[in-house]
Amino acid sequence: MDVQKFIEEQTAELKRLVGKETAINALSGGVDSAVCTVLAHRALGSQLKTVFVDNALMREGEPELVVELFERMGIPVEVVDARSEFLGALKGLMDPEKKRHAITRTFYENVFGKLVRDSGAKVLIHGTILTDIEETVAGIKRQHNILSQLGIDPEKEYGYRVFEPLKTLRKDGVRSVAVALDMPDELIRRIPFPGPALAARIVGEVTGDRLETVRKATAIVEEELRDSGAFQYLAALLSDRATGMRDGKREYGQIIVVRCIESVDARTATATELSWEKLNRICSRIVEIPGVSRCLYDLTPKPPATVEYI
Ligand code: XMP
């Protein structure tokens, strides 16, 4: 791919689409939406409004970190607190597709839909990448960001058009665009993070408490594996429990799974051969999380497993 040509073409297309109007986009904290934001800001400057929706499913310190990283690039980001809307929509849901559906609907229909309407933006810029589209078409899973799956025609329903500048790229392509856009290393090297955020790593019901558990585990895994060079690493919370012992008492505790993978574009993946010492260290820190008494390492390649857990 000719990256410079790609950037020029997408920038021109964004300018043409938006004209003298305004555009809006949402940052999730992942590489795709970050690249999308920088690309759109380069094309549109102050005609672009970027929001970060706090959906309660974020990693520790994420809203603050994202705002700061973009501030350093001169791109203002508005944080919108929608935690109660998302937690309310997820209450009682166990089925993975229903959970994804609830998150997507809450995002587009309630939270973001309202933001877009209030902002008067004519174009919504979205960081969908080719892998999202391929997996949706293949029926593997509902992706967070495919509006057509919801049967939503945004122009008809909300009065805005959706533009997806990254839809021909896979993760490696997105990273090359990020480098060409001179984005800070800290953002480019961020590991992939899914649209449904930590909810993609909770088997069973997503509650405030369960989010807190997976959030703590995620912080440990990310800290321990930051220098591993792996493509992606994460922690997932299972819905089962297992018997453990703490302070001489039985504890029917929760189970955290650690996943660390090697991959080029997330279409296929294999588990990273982490050292026994590293695995033990991660395990001992994870079982210090209140209520967690077991930690497992996932060896499954993709396929048959996916990277995320729902
Ligand atoms: P899966 O779990 O589908 O993930 O093997 C492939 C890559 O895409 C990232 N990712 C998502 N995964 N829903 C997903 O299930 C999403 O909305 C999403 N957005 C990004 C995932 O983290 C992995 O790198």
Side-chain angles (χ1 to χ4, degrees), residues 160-281:
Y160 60 73
R161 268 184 286 174
V162 176
F163 181 59
E164 298 165 320
L166 310 181
K167 70 172 180 230
T168 55
L169 307 181
R170 294 204 173 88
K171 204 58 99 187
D172 45 343
V174 176
R175 288 224 169 93
S176 346
V177 174
V179 173
L181 285 171
D182 227 5
M183 286 169 61
D185 251 20
E186 216 174 329
L187 263 175
I188 300 172
R189 280 187 292 106
R190 284 202 108 186
I191 51 170
F193 192 67
L198 295 179
R201 293 148 187 200
I202 293 181
V203 181
E205 193 182 5
V206 178
T207 64
D209 284 351
R210 305 193 78 218
L211 275 163
E212 205 38 49
T213 303
V214 88
R215 185 174 289 123
K216 287 198 174 106
T218 302
I220 294 169
V221 168
E222 291 194 355
E223 189 191 317
E224 289 291 339
L225 297 177
R226 187 173 295 137
D227 299 324
S228 63
F231 177 83
Q232 194 171 2
Y233 31 88
L234 55 99
L237 174 64
L238 301 186
S239 56
D240 253 349
R241 287 180 179 255
T243 300
M245 299 232 307
R246 199 185 296 271
D247 305 326
K249 283 202 208 103
R250 271 170 71 96
E251 177 183 71
Y252 199 40
Q254 307 204 75
I255 309 168
I256 287 284
V257 179
V258 175
R259 186 147 175 71
C260 181
I261 55 158
E262 302 303 312
S263 179
V264 177
D265 54 17
R267 282 190 301 167
T268 59
T270 51
T272 307
E273 281 191 38
L274 293 173
S275 75
W276 201 241
E277 190 190 347
K278 187 50 114 180
L279 285 168
N280 270 313
R281 195 180 147 74

Side-chain angles (χ1 to χ4, degrees), residues 5 29 64 67 73 88 95 108 111 121 123 172 182 195 197 205 232 249 261 288 300:
K5 188 158 162 260
E64 298 79 5
V67 169
M73 288 187 284
D95 178 79
Y108 283 106
V111 180
V123 180
D172 45 343
D182 227 5
E205 193 182 5
Q232 194 171 2
K249 283 202 208 103
I261 55 158
E288 279 170 14
T300 330

Side-chain angles (χ1 to χ4, degrees), residues 278-291:
K278 187 50 114 180
L279 285 168
N280 270 313
R281 195 180 147 74
I282 293 171
C283 175
S284 64
R285 290 186 65 188
I286 295 242
V287 293
E288 279 170 14
I289 299 170

Side-chain angles (χ1 to χ4, degrees), residues 147-148 150-160 162:
L147 280 178
S148 61
L150 289 168
I152 293 175
D153 174 349
E155 188 145 26
K156 212 162 82 202
E157 294 195 33
Y158 308 130
Y160 60 73
V162 176

